[in-house]
Amino acid sequence: MDLAYVCEWERWPKSTHCPSVPLACAWSCRNLIAFTTDLRNDDQDLTRMIHILDTEHPWDVHSVNSEHSEAITCLEWDQSGSRLLSADADGQIKCWSMADHLANSWESHVGSLVEGDPIVALSWLHNGVKLALHVEKSGASSFGEKFSRVKFSPSLTLFGGKPMEGWIAVTVSGLVTVSLLKPSGQVLTSTESLCRLRGRVALADIAFTGGGNIVVATADGSSASPVQFYKVCVSVVSEKCRIDTEILPSLFMRCTTDLNRKDKFPAITHLKFLARDMSEQVLLCASSQMSSIVECWSLRKEGLPVNNVFQQISPVVGDKQPMILKWRILSATNDLDRVSAVALPKLPISLTNTDLKVASDTQFYPGLGLALAFHDGSVHIVHRLSLQSMAVFYSSAAPRSADEPAIKRPRTTGPAVHFKAMQLSWTSLALVGIDNHGKLSMLRISPSMGHTLDVSLALRHLLFLLEYCMVTGYDWWDTLLHVQPGMVQSLVEKLHEEYTRQNAALQQVLSTRILAMKASLCKLSPCTVARVCDYHAKLFLVAVSSTLKSLLRPHFLNTPDKSPGDRLTEVCTKITDADIDKVMINLKTEEFVLDMNTLQALQQLLQWVGDFVLYLLASLPNQVRSLLGGPSPLRTVPAPWVLACPLCSAAPPPSAAAPPPPGS
């Protein structure tokens, strides 16, 4: 790991801005980071602020006054990265959404409230979309073989199977509250106790099962108490939200059952499921004032032994052994320095032994590790099942051996700068941390995790992650952090080659994403930077073409599958003659008739398109002559992607002073 950049916030006076307690941070699939601070005015009153930062432009931070009356305890992005949930210590939950799709404009119109009950865990309901990465098939030609859809049920569905949107939260008093967003804009909220005997909940986390259920893990903060698990089922009955809960098997941390260390780690400080859509693995951290220990547990089905007496009475019992669910410890660390923050990977790599072996054999390391931040200022990436160290970053202290016991390390006179909140990017190639002084640090995590990889293998792994971002629509900025200038040409060519192998329907869906991805890659090398303007210009023309095509309607509703715009594109591709009359003969002109108001609204856009096409036609001979080194005859035929813009080839010459006549 190495440091990419640091945001010092020099424009924020230290006397007025201070980190929130607790500090909340969230990273969206659009590579937007949301985090909290408190603003103190002259009267020492605190204003709870939410800051939105674009990782590509960290110098431009948008701050929102959350209007929360108490400290913000949770931040949570939705799956699209366009909405943000915030919850505070007074039980208030707000849903923030982009205004006009702008990252610097946010508004909150809906929310829920559990008055006076602090929120300790918050999550959006699952929408049923889950992908699996098949690293062993990275050389396959079809994206469907590399990234497959996993059967996963939404938490709640509307009529027709459409996922219902909403969120679930857990309070400190042991309540679970669910809010559902109806298509009409109405919010249905219901609150229920996790169990009959309610107790204090200091830590909680939320995960989802493939059957549409929700699993909630809770702890009261004491390592001597059990970690409880509950199944939550959400339904809508008579236009009201209904919550049903069921107790699941619980566990005690192993460090509390060891007589030598029974009282060494009195508090549970971190409780996390290893994956949002995998409720069978959980990570626990118990700490003292000076040190911590981390344990990884897994829920398994085991056979329940039956006494011989019952087997003799009922032979059926002996033939079919009853099964129970039981928590088993997978791994545990030695004594570590005190853990201050934990960040889990979001890359959907399965945690089965077979899949982990495949990832190890292919030397594909992204997504295999989780991040642990310590009070001495260091950050460790450890394997998320074996908890073995994979990478280490030291911020302020001198490098030390990872195997050195925490008790032998010299202590500094003052409190060290350490991360209070961390988040891994969606490809696990970057890590953001916010320290106890409010400073934000961005770390790059090498895809090789310190292992020596061939250049071709490193390129294949980067290409695989870029393809994953292209298929899912996630932002790929964190992947670009590891692209060297010498890799750009090969990545662009291989990306285009893989794109052309897909079927026509998928190519049409991904056409704009691959253009944007190529433009981002070409910025990284001086040899290809000249192409960036071409890719952006083509993106702009594709947007213009899509806008114009959307205005055209078939003359008859029972026409074939091709729209008028698609037929125009097909005709322009086949007919190379520049005579526009010959093009119009093959078209149904009645399909290109628009009402006068629409034409007047598009007059300036059509004028610009006409001017642009004439400019291309006039400049093509000069460009060809310069390439050939001398004068050369040239047929002035527009490129197919220019002729794909409907109405532009059929429009009158833009030099005409009069506007197009109505209906033309």
Side-chain angles (χ1 to χ4, degrees):
M1 287 186 290
D2 61 334
L3 191 63
Y5 59 75
V6 176
C7 297
E8 295 277 0
W9 317 124
E10 294 181 357
R11 62 174 182 167
W12 292 357
K14 294 182 179 180
S15 59
T16 58
H17 283 82
C18 57
S20 298
V21 180
L23 186 63
C25 176
W27 193 326
S28 79
C29 63
R30 298 189 180 193
N31 280 329
L32 297 177
I33 296 176
F35 62 100
T36 60
T37 62
D38 293 339
L39 176 63
R40 184 183 294 108
N41 59 17
D42 296 336
D43 298 331
Q44 299 300 310
D45 294 331
L46 292 179
T47 302
R48 317 294 178 180
M49 304 295 294
I50 299 177
H51 308 283
I52 309 294
L53 177 143
D54 185 350
T55 54
E56 191 173 2
H57 308 97
W59 53 84
D60 189 10
V61 182
H62 180 68
S63 302
V64 181
N65 182 359
S66 67
E67 298 182 356
H68 281 287
S69 58
E70 297 293 336
I72 299 174
T73 57
C74 302
L75 290 176
E76 188 74 19
W77 290 99
D78 71 341
Q79 196 69 15
S80 66
S82 60
R83 290 182 298 179
L84 176 70
L85 288 177
S86 63
D88 64 16
D90 192 38
Q92 186 179 26
I93 301 174
K94 290 189 174 185
C95 178
W96 302 87
S97 57
M98 290 183 180
D100 300 325
H101 306 282
L102 298 175
N104 61 350
S105 180
W106 296 83
E107 54 190 10
S108 175
H109 297 299
V110 295
S112 61
L113 177 64
V114 186
E115 190 171 357
D117 208 350
I119 306 296
V120 294
L122 179 66
S123 176
W124 289 90
L125 296 180
H126 205 287
N127 59 2
V129 177
K130 181 182 179 182
L131 287 181
L133 271 71
H134 302 285
V135 184
E136 72 280 6
K137 298 181 180 179
S138 59
S141 59
S142 172
F143 287 163
E145 298 180 30
K146 301 178 184 180
F147 319 105
S148 63
R149 180 79 177 263
V150 179
K151 186 178 180 181
F152 207 90
S153 299
S155 303
L156 191 63
T157 56
L158 295 167
F159 179 78
K162 181 181 178 181
M164 192 168 190
E165 297 181 326
W167 58 82
I168 178 174
V170 180
T171 70
V172 74
S173 68
L175 293 177
V176 57
T177 177
V178 176
S179 297
L180 305 177
L181 301 177
K182 298 186 66 176
S184 61
Q186 182 185 2
V187 180
L188 300 179
T189 301
S190 179
T191 303
E192 188 65 47
S193 176
L194 283 171
C195 61
R196 293 183 179 180
L197 299 176
R198 288 170 56 187
R200 177 178 180 269
V201 176
L203 301 169
D205 199 19
I206 302 169
F208 302 88
T209 66
N213 296 322
I214 305 169
V215 178
V216 176
T218 65
D220 63 3
S222 173
S223 59
S225 302
V227 179
Q228 302 280 1
F229 295 86
Y230 305 92
K231 183 173 74 172
V232 179
C233 302
V234 183
S235 58
V236 177
V237 180
S238 302
E239 293 298 319
K240 292 183 179 180
C241 179
R242 177 179 174 180
I243 303 174
D244 296 309
T245 61
E246 178 185 341
I247 299 178
L248 297 177
S250 59
L251 65 89
F252 283 91
M253 291 193 67
R254 194 177 69 172
C255 63
T256 61
T257 60
D258 188 351
L259 296 178
N260 297 326
R261 297 190 296 179
K262 184 176 181 180
D263 300 323
K264 189 173 182 180
F265 305 101
I268 298 179
T269 54
H270 297 88
L271 166 62
K272 298 282 186 181
F273 286 105
L274 288 184
R276 177 175 177 263
D277 45 19
M278 188 174 296
S279 59
E280 294 84 13
Q281 279 94 17
V282 67
L283 186 80
L284 299 170
C285 176
S287 304
S288 64
Q289 292 294 330
M290 306 296 289
S291 58
S292 297
I293 188 170
V294 179
E295 297 179 0
C296 183
W297 290 74
S298 176
L299 184 65
R300 298 176 179 177
K301 281 187 177 181
E302 296 184 359
L304 183 65
V306 180
N307 193 286
N308 294 331
V309 175
F310 295 101
Q311 294 183 14
Q312 295 173 3
I313 296 176
S314 177
V316 179
V317 176
D319 297 337
K320 186 178 180 182
Q321 188 179 24
M323 306 295 290
I324 61 171
L325 292 174
K326 195 170 185 178
W327 287 98
R328 291 292 185 183
I329 189 168
L330 294 178
S331 57
T333 64
N334 297 322
D335 293 4
L336 306 170
D337 197 8
R338 183 175 171 84
V339 174
S340 59
V342 177
L344 297 174
K346 304 179 181 70
L347 205 61
I349 293 181
S350 176
L351 293 180
T352 63
N353 293 329
T354 303
D355 294 332
L356 292 176
K357 186 178 183 304
V358 168
S360 177
D361 293 342
T362 56
Q363 295 182 294
F364 185 84
Y365 301 104
L368 294 183
L370 58 90
L372 299 176
F374 298 94
H375 274 256
D376 64 354
S378 63
V379 179
H380 291 226
I381 302 294
V382 299
H383 196 283
R384 58 179 177 172
L385 284 188
S386 66
L387 300 180
Q388 298 295 318
S389 180
M390 303 175 67
V392 184
F393 172 78
Y394 296 98
S395 59
S396 57
R400 294 187 295 262
S401 173
D403 299 328
E404 181 184 354
I407 196 66
K408 294 183 179 180
R409 298 177 183 173
R411 300 295 171 182
T412 57
T413 56
V417 177
H418 58 272
F419 291 150
K420 290 183 59 181
M422 289 193 310
Q423 284 285 320
L424 281 165
S425 68
W426 285 68
T427 60
S428 298
L429 295 184
L431 172 72
V432 64
I434 303 175
D435 61 29
N436 49 339
H437 292 170
K439 183 173 64 176
L440 184 145
S441 301
M442 181 66 66
L443 306 181
R444 294 188 299 181
I445 303 176
S446 172
S448 64
M449 288 291 179
H451 297 79
T452 303
L453 300 181
D454 295 334
V455 178
S456 59
L457 187 58
L459 278 175
R460 191 196 311 170
H461 290 170
L462 290 175
L463 178 65
F464 184 70
L465 291 173
L466 288 173
E467 292 171 348
Y468 169 70
C469 292
M470 185 164 59
V471 169
T472 58
Y474 297 164
D475 190 82
W476 50 87
W477 172 86
D478 47 339
T479 307
L480 299 182
L481 288 175
H482 305 276
V483 177
Q484 302 297 325
M487 301 178 178
V488 172
Q489 183 67 29
S490 298
L491 280 175
V492 171
E493 292 176 356
K494 291 181 181 295
L495 196 64
H496 182 76
E497 180 182 348
E498 295 296 328
Y499 169 78
T500 55
R501 291 181 179 180
Q502 313 309 312
N503 57 61
L506 185 57
Q507 286 188 29
Q508 185 177 5
V509 173
L510 304 178
S511 58
T512 55
R513 293 180 190 172
I514 190 172
L515 285 176
M517 192 170 286
K518 288 180 179 179
S520 302
L521 286 168
C522 290
K523 288 181 182 178
L524 305 178
S525 173
C527 302
T528 56
V529 71
R531 304 185 198 172
V532 177
C533 293
D534 295 337
Y535 288 128
H536 283 302
K538 189 170 181 179
L539 272 173
F540 180 74
L541 292 176
V542 168
V544 173
S545 174
S546 301
T547 302
L548 296 178
K549 283 182 178 180
S550 65
L551 299 174
L552 303 178
R553 296 290 184 270
H555 188 62
F556 300 102
L557 295 179
N558 57 350
T559 52
D561 52 349
K562 291 185 179 180
S563 66
D566 294 333
R567 284 197 293 273
L568 174 60
T569 303
E570 184 180 1
V571 169
C572 292
T573 304
K574 293 180 179 179
I575 300 178
T576 58
D577 201 316
D579 190 353
I580 195 171
D581 293 332
K582 295 182 179 179
V583 175
M584 296 299 295
I585 291 176
N586 296 275
L587 298 175
K588 298 179 180 179
T589 55
E590 62 271 11
E591 293 181 344
F592 294 84
V593 177
L594 302 177
D595 61 274
M596 185 175 61
N597 294 331
T598 304
L599 281 176
Q600 288 179 349
L602 293 173
Q603 181 179 352
Q604 294 181 351
L605 181 60
L606 292 175
Q607 181 82 18
W608 182 88
V609 171
D611 291 341
F612 180 75
V613 171
L614 290 179
Y615 171 78
L616 286 180
L617 294 175
S619 61
L620 280 175
N622 296 330
Q623 294 179 11
V624 172
R625 278 197 293 269
S626 63
L627 291 174
L628 298 178
S632 175
L634 175 71
R635 294 175 61 196
T636 57
V637 179
W641 56 272
V642 176
L643 289 173
C645 295
L647 303 183
C648 68
S649 58
S655 57
S664 62

